[in-house]
Amino acid sequence: MQRNVECLSLLEKALESLKAQDMVKIENGMFLHTLFGEATFVANFSPDCANILNSNLLKDLNSGVVFSSHFHLLLTLIPYDIGSPINWDLFHDEFRKLSASEKHMLSKMNIQEADILRQITARKKAEKGTPPMRLYIAFIMMDIWNKMPVSNVAKKYDLQKGWIQNTLQSVCSQAQRIQRFSELLENLWPLKLLLPHVIAKLNECKNAELVPLMNLDCVKFGRAKVLYDKGFKTVKAIADAKPSDLLSNIEQISLAQAKRIIKSAKTTIDQMLNNQEEERILYGLSL
């Protein structure tokens, strides 16, 4: 009996908490989910996270999205539970590269250059979820967005390659969850329109090694991944292959397509070699 009373008390507290956070409402004596509660559930956010995220997203949107680059959107997508050691000198260098509009946007987030200089002097540790930490991770993600190899990014920020790859995956997941979240909330409609492109680009960044293959005729993401997984990891490997090699390893590919893919790979390599030869001539290095 005592246990039942305790369970009932916990249930009442949980429902009151959900009601206070606008997750549920009472109609005709029944608890029903709100639209905000449904969006939270669909996006797989906790109620606390959903409220913080919704508040920050609305604040960002009301302040105006900066379209001079994708930096503002990437910053919006950085999860609150990721942390990293910060190189404050590098932080300042990256901050100084931002456009005036991007710096103005950051000032509305209480991130001022003077504050960064004080952080550099104090070498104070930034906590997960704080604006400086999320901004620093956004700098890392922006380098990946701009197609800097992950190994180079890892070296630049003195981080493990695996950590960067995991963080990129987390950002992709967060972007997809925010998209589902915004699809049900009318006041977040700009994100519903903007995020599909960002998510597609982030997924490309996750599979940067496939990009050269995807530039070949008849090769899109799915086929590029199959080629890579089957050992055709480079354009050169495909150029050296025979049509029968592709036919025996790749499902749902015709002989004509196999020949076209190989021809495209050979053409790509020839063009690259020709371009290199032209550069050698310009520099007086040609034999």
Side-chain angles (χ1 to χ4, degrees):
M1 183 66 179
Q2 180 65 28
R3 181 173 295 179
N4 290 340
V5 172
E6 291 176 355
C7 289
L8 184 60
S9 176
L10 288 173
L11 179 59
E12 289 176 348
K13 289 180 180 179
L15 288 172
E16 284 301 318
S17 176
L18 291 174
K19 183 181 175 183
Q21 296 181 88
D22 194 29
M23 297 290 158
V24 298
K25 59 185 178 181
I26 300 177
E27 286 187 4
N28 300 322
M30 298 178 61
F31 279 99
L32 302 174
H33 64 73
T34 63
L35 189 60
F36 185 68
E38 182 181 358
T40 300
F41 176 79
V42 169
N44 196 26
F45 288 127
S46 69
D48 288 338
C49 179
N51 276 285
I52 293 172
L53 182 65
N54 186 56
S55 176
N56 288 341
L57 290 175
L58 286 175
K59 183 178 178 181
D60 285 348
L61 291 175
N62 290 334
S63 298
V65 178
V66 177
F67 289 105
S68 57
S69 74
H70 290 89
F71 180 74
H72 189 182
L73 283 175
L74 283 177
L75 177 58
T76 300
L77 301 177
I78 302 301
Y80 292 85
D81 59 351
I82 297 177
S84 163
I86 292 181
N87 179 331
W88 288 106
D89 295 321
L90 182 56
F91 188 115
H92 189 220
D93 289 341
E94 295 301 307
F95 182 89
R96 292 176 62 187
K97 294 177 185 177
L98 296 175
S99 66
S101 58
E102 289 167 339
K103 289 181 180 178
H104 180 66
M105 176 268 295
L106 290 177
S107 69
K108 296 180 180 180
M109 299 172 61
N110 296 320
I111 301 177
Q112 308 283 353
E113 187 165 9
D115 295 330
I116 295 172
L117 291 172
R118 281 194 290 271
Q119 290 273 25
I120 292 172
T121 303
R123 304 288 167 174
K124 184 179 178 181
K125 181 181 177 181
E127 300 297 330
K128 294 179 181 179
T130 58
M133 178 59 74
R134 296 180 70 238
L135 177 57
Y136 190 69
I137 294 173
F139 289 144
I140 297 172
M141 292 298 104
M142 196 65 196
D143 280 340
I144 293 176
W145 179 277
N146 290 327
K147 298 184 178 180
M148 180 184 290
V150 172
S151 56
N152 291 2
V153 176
K155 184 177 181 180
K156 175 179 177 179
Y157 292 91
D158 193 23
L159 295 168
Q160 294 293 322
K161 182 178 177 181
W163 183 91
I164 292 176
Q165 291 172 327
N166 289 337
T167 299
L168 176 57
Q169 177 60 51
S170 295
V171 173
C172 289
S173 298
Q174 180 80 340
Q176 292 167 341
R177 292 161 73 187
I178 291 177
Q179 183 183 9
R180 294 196 297 270
F181 189 66
S182 63
E183 284 174 350
L184 291 174
L185 300 177
E186 188 174 343
N187 51 4
L188 296 180
W189 67 266
L191 292 176
K192 181 172 64 175
L193 300 177
L194 294 170
L195 285 183
H197 164 70
V198 175
I199 291 171
K201 180 68 180 289
L202 285 173
N203 282 325
E204 284 184 17
C205 294
K206 279 170 49 183
N207 300 280
E209 68 277 4
L210 302 182
V211 173
L213 304 185
M214 291 170 62
N215 289 328
L216 301 178
D217 292 344
C218 302
V219 179
K220 293 186 178 180
F221 176 78
R223 183 165 286 170
K225 192 172 189 312
V226 173
L227 285 166
Y228 191 89
D229 291 342
K230 292 293 184 178
F232 302 98
K233 298 181 182 295
T234 64
V235 174
K236 179 68 164 56
I238 295 174
D240 291 341
K242 299 176 182 178
S244 58
D245 296 331
L246 299 189
L247 289 172
S248 61
N249 284 282
I250 312 299
E251 295 181 359
Q252 298 180 341
I253 186 173
S254 66
L255 177 60
Q257 288 176 325
K259 289 181 177 179
R260 187 174 172 186
I261 291 171
I262 292 172
K263 181 180 178 181
S264 179
K266 290 180 177 179
T267 300
T268 299
I269 291 175
D270 288 342
Q271 289 176 343
M272 186 179 299
L273 293 175
N274 288 336
N275 290 338
Q276 289 179 349
E277 180 60 23
E278 290 175 2
E279 289 182 5
R280 289 172 63 86
I281 292 173
L282 287 174
Y283 284 92
L285 300 175
S286 181
L287 297 177

